[in-house]
Amino acid sequence: EKAVNLKKDLAEMQEWMTQAEEEYLEKDFEYKSPEELENAVEEMKRAKEDVLQKEVRVKILKDNIKMLATKVPSSGQDLATELNVVLENYQLLCNRIRGKCHTLEEVWSCWIELLQYLDLETAWLNNLEERVRMTENLPDKLDAVNDALESLESVLRHPADNRTQIRELGQTLIDGGILDDIISEKLEAFNARYEELSHLAVSRQIALEQQLQTMRETDHMLQVLQENLADLDRQLTSYLTDRIDAFQMPQEAQ
């Protein structure tokens, strides 16, 4: 009777493992939304816990069969053979579920990381858009134009590392068929805005550089003119002081 009960327990254990394999490993999952992916991650975590909890039952079966083998060698030997098969299948199931759980957790982490990088770059784009807006309707003063140009250039020096991460993370998930529609839409919107604002910012940068160069040249010309006028003023003053007749002056002074 003991052997019959143990044989029944082994069969039930094998049946449970077959059902677990069908439910957790052979079912086709489609992750088209973050909610579906998150639910799959949680389900695989529960599956891993469920399978690992059966380790106690497997150990009890193993101990009981060993005990029976010492008392009834013939029955114990047959059950030991069946036990080895169950132990091998159980270990395989544990490894596969652990592997799938780890993979899904990595995928979820990849998705969260992608969102974080998108948030960072979106904040940078917002800042860039604000700096570009601030270059409009500037007062016609050299300092104002120079400050606006330096402010814009400081934002444009933003490193490209985050955009590289966004591209690689997005492509990894899309290649795996995970959230591909949502990610493609997000990346398309981000890239379009990035290209538009980058071109606009560079155009404004070039325009400000040209405006600044023109203003500096104008300032230099005015400075030279002022220096020439000052020299002429000093020369004319000396003529007046010396009471020199206008017709005695050089032609340019007249």
Side-chain angles (χ1 to χ4, degrees):
E1 184 182 354
K2 180 74 171 177
V4 172
N5 289 335
L6 287 174
K7 190 176 184 65
K8 181 181 178 182
D9 289 341
L10 284 172
E12 288 177 353
M13 186 65 190
Q14 183 59 57
E15 183 181 357
W16 176 85
M17 287 190 294
T18 301
Q19 291 175 349
E21 186 172 353
E22 291 174 354
E23 182 176 357
Y24 300 125
L25 298 174
E26 295 180 1
K27 187 166 58 176
D28 290 331
F29 291 97
E30 285 192 3
Y31 312 116
K32 296 300 181 183
S33 72
E35 292 76 21
E36 289 180 358
L37 177 59
E38 187 174 20
N39 289 338
V41 172
E42 294 304 318
E43 183 178 356
M44 285 309 301
K45 286 181 179 179
R46 289 192 296 270
K48 185 173 73 170
E49 292 175 2
D50 191 18
V51 169
L52 293 179
Q53 284 175 357
K54 290 293 188 294
E55 188 174 3
V56 175
R57 182 180 177 186
V58 170
K59 186 177 184 305
I60 292 172
L61 274 172
K62 184 177 179 180
D63 291 342
N64 287 338
I65 289 173
K66 281 184 176 180
M67 188 178 299
L68 179 66
T70 58
K71 296 179 179 179
V72 186
S74 58
S75 299
Q77 186 61 41
D78 292 338
L79 287 174
T81 302
E82 292 185 36
L83 174 65
N84 288 335
V85 173
V86 168
L87 290 176
E88 184 177 343
N89 291 341
Y90 175 72
Q91 193 58 52
L92 180 61
L93 179 65
C94 287
N95 293 339
R96 290 181 65 191
I97 286 183
R98 277 198 196 97
K100 185 164 185 178
C101 186
H102 176 73
T103 299
L104 282 176
E105 287 176 330
E106 287 290 311
V107 168
W108 178 253
S109 176
C110 188
W111 163 248
I112 295 300
E113 193 175 2
L114 174 62
L115 291 181
Q116 290 171 344
Y117 279 116
L118 279 172
D119 285 343
L120 287 173
E121 288 305 284
T122 298
W124 173 75
L125 286 176
N126 292 340
N127 189 20
L128 179 62
E129 187 174 30
E130 177 64 16
R131 296 299 175 92
V132 170
R133 188 190 62 77
M134 290 171 61
T135 64
E136 301 171 357
N137 304 318
L138 289 172
D140 194 20
K141 295 181 179 179
L142 192 146
D143 287 346
V145 175
N146 188 59
D147 290 345
L149 177 59
E150 289 182 352
S151 177
L152 182 59
E153 287 177 336
S154 69
V155 179
L156 284 172
R157 284 193 288 270
H158 183 68
D161 297 353
N162 288 352
R163 293 194 298 280
T164 301
Q165 290 293 329
I166 287 172
R167 183 175 62 254
E168 292 178 353
L169 288 168
Q171 196 59 52
T172 297
L173 290 169
I174 290 172
D175 289 346
I178 299 166
L179 307 179
D180 44 356
D181 292 339
I182 292 176
I183 292 173
S184 295
E185 183 179 339
K186 282 183 176 292
L187 294 187
E188 184 177 348
F190 168 77
N191 289 330
R193 188 178 180 217
Y194 172 78
E195 291 298 327
E196 179 184 1
L197 278 176
S198 295
H199 287 314
L200 180 59
V202 171
S203 297
R204 290 299 301 154
Q205 180 187 20
I206 294 172
L208 288 173
E209 288 171 346
Q210 292 173 344
Q211 183 180 0
L212 194 60
Q213 180 64 27
T214 301
M215 295 177 76
R216 283 172 175 165
E217 290 174 355
T218 302
D219 275 6
H220 178 69
M221 290 172 61
L222 288 172
Q223 184 179 355
V224 170
L225 181 58
Q226 286 174 345
E227 290 174 356
N228 289 338
L229 288 173
D231 288 341
L232 181 58
D233 182 62
R234 285 193 295 271
Q235 188 175 13
L236 289 173
T237 300
S238 69
Y239 288 156
L240 292 172
T241 302
D242 295 339
R243 297 180 179 277
I244 297 176
D245 187 88
F247 290 106
Q248 295 176 317
M249 295 181 186
Q251 185 66 35
E252 66 273 11
Q254 293 180 33

